[in-house]
Amino acid sequence: MRRPGVKTAGYLAVLLGSFVLAMVAGWLGAPIDNHAYDWMFRSHQTSWPPESIVLAIDEQTLNRGGVPRMRRILAEGLDLLAPARPKVVAVDLILADAGDPAEDAALEAAFRRTPNLVLASDLMRDARWEDPLPLFARSAAAIGHVHADLAFDGVSRQVPLEKAAGRVRRWALALEAYRLSRGAAQITESPDDLEIGGTVVPARWSDSRLLRIRFLPPGPDGRSAIPSISIAELRRNPRLAERFRGKVVFVGVTAVSAAATDRFITPNSDGEQMPGVEIHAHIFETLAHGRFLTGASNLSVAALCFLLALAAVAAFAFRGGWQSYALAALVLLCAHMLPYELFARNVVFPYVAPLSAAWLAAVGSGTFQFFIVRRQLRFAEDERTRYQQAMHFVTHEMKTPLTAIQGSSELISRYKLTDEKRKQIADLINSESKRLARMIETFLNVERLTAGQIELKREGFPVSEVLDACLERARPLADRKQIRIEAGAAAEADLTGDRELMEYALYNLLNNAVKYSPGETRVRVESAAENGWLRLSVADQGIGMEPHELKRIFQKFYRTSRAVASGEKGTGIGLSIVQQIVALHGGRIEVTSEPGRGSCFTLVIPARLAERAAGPQNA
Ligand code: ADP
């Protein structure tokens, strides 16, 4: 029997299972997503002329004074820059502690001469701001935070544009530098973005206003795209100051010895670290360039993963053979291409979740389809074998009456026979041809019933009539095996439908009960009407059936191994017709059986209580 419900449920289970697993995989697969991000990042590089420049405090610069003299060096550097009138100067140094008074005074003086100065502040471990000394802060046009947001693999991919601690909130150093470079007085906030002088920066408040940094690709010589000139170089060649004209300058330490912790790996850098000050310049460039990468929302990720899984499952649920595989391959291709294509459109989409959704759904439903097809094939093969066996039996059975008819007709034509003998032979021919006709009729009926071509008659008839007719037909068979048929009183009820078909059904049960019982046993027929239903049961003490066989005996051509072993002839179609007849009458069949002890078949059919009384039936 084909059950579409099981198939649909199977595909739905695959769909939901693969979706849920893909979501979990997406969550666990963040490291892979990060790798994929870096790879996509590198393959979607764009370059533009930078607006910023780094004034570096490198090893060479420090050699002249070392870390303790940093503030004097910085002051000197700023003074060297001053003639070039840079647009903004952002200093990536923490100036929270008082230093040598003379040095501090020199730096303060240099700061005072620097317009659009941005100073840095960092968050300390105890969540307090490490602000510049008031002495320095006085000259600053803004103070920006330099807090890094690193992924767990230590790669710097994004920056929180906003950072709050206690009551104080700070914008990122590079954002402040950008604001000043655009002459904007303030940053306008909305839950989804920030607006600075007409530029809208997508940075959701719910995501800590994270901005993905578009690192400029390094030049062909492998050098950073952001130009960098050290204070030592500037000192040697003051004319280099011209390179800073009108630029946004980021000043900071690049010397490894002095700023070992302020260096980070970037998606571009192939494991090599980039000094923090340069990263600030890249953040500034990202803002200035204005092509922002935005992350797809969780909802859209989930929705797209679900759609991919749905498409993969549909490929197998609604198509078969090579078409399924071709469609599934297409879905997989889409899943692979999707994050890449979206990245080209500046949308960051995870890789693991959609890929897992598509693969799990495709493999899952492909496997499921394979098993369904195999089951159907086995089913079809079983049916064909049973059909062949039945045909074999039928043709064999037909031979017997045909041979009898043939032989008898020859007898009549060849020999001169007495009238009595002729009559006997004529009767034989008549009964054998009737048997043949009945056999053909039965077979045709099966086909017609199956195809729904038989129209059911709708007449009312008492249960007792059907019972009597069947008992009368079955008794000679039973007598031959010395089986006693015991019949209880017929229920006083009327059935509505086709009397002949009903008789066929009941006779079949009686016939089976006798056929599959050893001699000298009993067959009991009971009937009872209750609540509009007639229960008509035939119980025998015969060979019985295994529990797993009970479901299959109503399949066409199915015979139990015990029935075959018993040597009784059969086609295995009788019960399938009985079941159809009962169903056509709005009823059902219940079977109980125990191997070696007997079986009981009960027809449960809608019935009306009869007004007249029926006489008791006895064997
Ligand atoms: P068949 O022509 O083989 O009797 P049916 O469709 O009438 O075909 O029955 C199908 C199978 O169900 C039988 O072959 C037999 O294995 C089993 N069966 C039916 N009735 C009985 C019964 N009373 N006792 C044991 N087995 C039965």
Side-chain angles (χ1 to χ4, degrees):
M1 219 174 287
R2 226 145 291 173
R3 283 184 293 174
V6 173
K7 219 164 111 177
T8 314
Y11 281 120
L12 273 178
V14 170
L15 173 63
L16 285 181
S18 46
F19 174 68
V20 171
L21 281 177
M23 290 294 101
V24 176
W27 184 61
L28 295 175
I32 302 173
D33 280 337
N34 277 337
H35 275 295
Y37 175 88
D38 295 350
W39 176 76
M40 290 188 287
F41 188 92
R42 285 194 293 270
S43 39
H44 286 95
Q45 298 269 33
T46 39
S47 194
W48 61 92
E51 256 181 76
S52 58
I53 179 164
V54 169
L55 178 62
I57 302 174
D58 61 356
E59 303 282 358
Q60 229 185 20
T61 313
L62 287 179
N63 276 347
R64 276 260 314 265
V67 181
R69 291 202 52 217
M70 185 88 82
R71 293 184 184 180
R72 184 172 291 283
I73 294 170
L74 179 59
E76 186 194 350
L78 291 177
D79 285 340
L80 284 165
L81 275 193
R85 307 179 73 82
K87 209 189 254 176
V88 176
V89 175
V91 179
D92 178 25
L93 286 173
I94 302 302
L95 303 164
D97 305 316
D100 173 74
E103 273 190 41
D104 283 359
L107 183 58
E108 193 227 335
F111 278 165
R112 248 188 289 128
R113 288 190 291 270
T114 310
N116 283 344
L117 174 72
V118 187
L119 292 184
S121 175
D122 201 0
L123 261 185
M124 290 196 287
R125 271 179 199 279
D126 59 358
R128 270 188 306 121
W129 286 110
E130 218 176 358
D131 278 343
L133 292 173
L135 166 84
F136 302 131
R138 267 204 306 264
S139 320
I143 294 176
H145 84 76
V146 290
H147 186 81
D149 179 278
L150 296 180
F152 41 81
D153 55 3
V155 179
S156 169
R157 297 185 181 89
Q158 48 192 13
V159 60
L161 288 181
E162 175 192 321
K163 202 80 206 168
R167 290 235 207 92
V168 183
R169 190 183 63 156
R170 301 222 178 280
W171 299 113
L173 182 84
L175 181 63
E176 288 287 17
Y178 176 71
R179 175 176 71 81
L180 291 170
S181 76
R182 296 302 184 260
Q186 59 179 15
I187 294 167
T188 317
E189 306 170 53
S190 78
D192 287 336
D193 41 48
L194 301 175
E195 198 229 289
I196 311 107
T199 305
V200 176
V201 185
R204 278 187 219 119
W205 182 79
S206 53
D207 284 346
S208 331
R209 301 235 187 254
L210 283 172
L211 173 79
R212 288 186 171 76
I213 311 170
R214 262 208 201 265
F215 289 93
L216 274 159
D221 51 0
R223 287 176 53 166
S224 168
I226 311 264
S228 172
I229 292 171
S230 76
I231 296 181
E233 281 175 291
L234 203 57
R235 205 185 284 133
R236 271 200 311 274
N237 180 5
R239 267 185 306 162
L240 282 176
E242 267 316 298
R243 303 263 305 269
F244 292 84
R245 185 167 294 281
K247 292 277 166 110
V248 173
V249 184
F250 286 87
V251 192
V253 181
T254 59
V256 182
S257 58
T261 53
D262 191 24
R263 303 174 70 81
F264 306 98
I265 302 171
T266 73
N268 261 344
S269 63
D270 246 345
E272 215 177 284
Q273 291 176 320
M274 183 183 274
V277 61
E278 200 183 321
I279 295 184
H280 290 300
H282 281 280
I283 301 169
F284 170 84
E285 290 300 336
T286 308
L287 292 163
H289 185 57
R291 266 187 62 204
F292 301 107
L293 286 165
T294 48
S297 71
N298 288 342
L299 190 70
S300 59
V301 172
L304 260 163
C305 288
F306 187 79
L307 281 181
L308 282 168
L310 185 69
V313 169
F316 288 97
F318 299 114
R319 289 269 169 265
W322 67 269
Q323 285 186 350
S324 288
Y325 291 101
L327 285 173
L330 204 69
V331 174
L332 287 175
L333 188 73
C334 284
H336 281 261
M337 298 284 295
L338 183 81
Y340 192 82
E341 285 303 312
L342 285 174
F343 202 99
R345 285 159 186 76
N346 302 321
V347 176
V348 180
F349 202 83
Y351 231 113
V352 177
L355 237 60
S356 324
W359 274 102
L360 287 170
V363 173
S365 44
T367 315
F368 184 64
Q369 193 204 50
F370 174 77
F371 282 113
I372 284 189
V373 168
R374 228 175 57 162
R375 215 186 64 169
Q376 281 174 350
L377 201 71
R378 214 178 41 215
F379 189 84
E381 269 173 6
D382 280 3
E383 192 161 339
R384 211 189 54 189
T385 341
R386 286 202 304 272
Y387 190 79
Q388 275 172 350
Q389 283 170 357
M391 279 320 266
H392 191 77
F393 169 75
V394 168
T395 42
H396 184 80
E397 281 293 278
M398 282 181 177
K399 258 194 200 151
T400 325
L402 273 177
T403 320
I405 294 169
Q406 235 173 30
S408 310
S409 55
E410 272 178 27
L411 276 180
I412 298 177
S413 59
R414 282 209 199 145
Y415 306 102
K416 212 167 159 44
L417 300 167
T418 59
D419 276 356
E420 193 194 346
K421 199 77 192 159
R422 284 168 78 95
K423 169 121 182 27
Q424 235 178 25
I425 291 175
D427 283 351
L428 184 74
I429 291 177
N430 188 273
S431 72
E432 286 302 300
S433 51
K434 270 187 185 151
R435 191 149 88 97
L436 202 57
R438 256 205 318 276
M439 237 154 146
I440 293 170
E441 185 65 20
T442 308
F443 262 80
L444 288 179
N445 278 354
V446 183
E447 294 312 313
R448 288 200 204 124
L449 258 181
T450 316
Q453 288 168 351
I454 282 195
E455 187 128 347
L456 198 68
K457 281 190 220 143
R458 290 248 154 241
E459 55 183 6
F461 52 92
V463 174
S464 56
E465 275 185 18
V466 181
L467 256 173
D468 290 346
C470 290
L471 287 169
E472 198 181 316
R473 273 172 72 191
R475 283 224 164 85
L477 290 176
D479 290 347
R480 232 177 280 161
K481 286 175 87 173
Q482 286 170 329
I483 290 176
R484 209 150 70 90
I485 299 184
E486 297 174 356
E492 291 167 21
D494 281 346
L495 293 174
T496 310
D498 194 313
R499 184 198 309 241
E500 258 174 60
L501 287 180
M502 216 56 217
E503 240 181 74
Y504 178 93
L506 182 61
Y507 177 72
N508 226 286
L509 297 188
L510 271 170
N511 187 32
N512 278 351
V514 172
K515 197 158 69 164
Y516 298 118
S517 294
E520 294 172 3
T521 53
R522 273 177 299 137
V523 170
R524 184 141 187 91
V525 183
E526 299 273 7
S527 61
E530 210 180 78
N531 297 334
W533 291 90
L534 170 74
R535 295 182 66 86
L536 195 58
S537 62
V538 179
D540 62 48
Q541 300 172 324
I543 57 173
M545 289 167 275
E546 301 288 338
H548 67 92
E549 293 173 324
L550 291 186
K551 276 188 226 145
R552 303 193 63 189
I553 51 173
F554 297 102
Q555 289 173 5
K556 254 193 257 173
F557 312 123
Y558 180 80
R559 302 195 73 207
T560 64
S561 44
R562 278 163 191 278
V564 176
S566 73
E568 291 287 353
K569 295 231 166 88
T571 52
I573 51 172
L575 282 182
S576 80
I577 306 174
V578 172
Q579 195 191 36
Q580 288 181 62
I581 292 172
V582 173
L584 285 172
H585 284 81
R588 62 177 193 277
I589 308 177
E590 292 172 0
V591 195
T592 54
S593 185
E594 219 180 303
R597 311 215 39 182
S599 316
C600 178
F601 286 76
T602 308
L603 305 182
V604 186
I605 312 161
R608 273 181 296 117
L609 276 189
E611 277 129 33
R612 96 217 92 68
Q617 305 284 319
N618 273 316

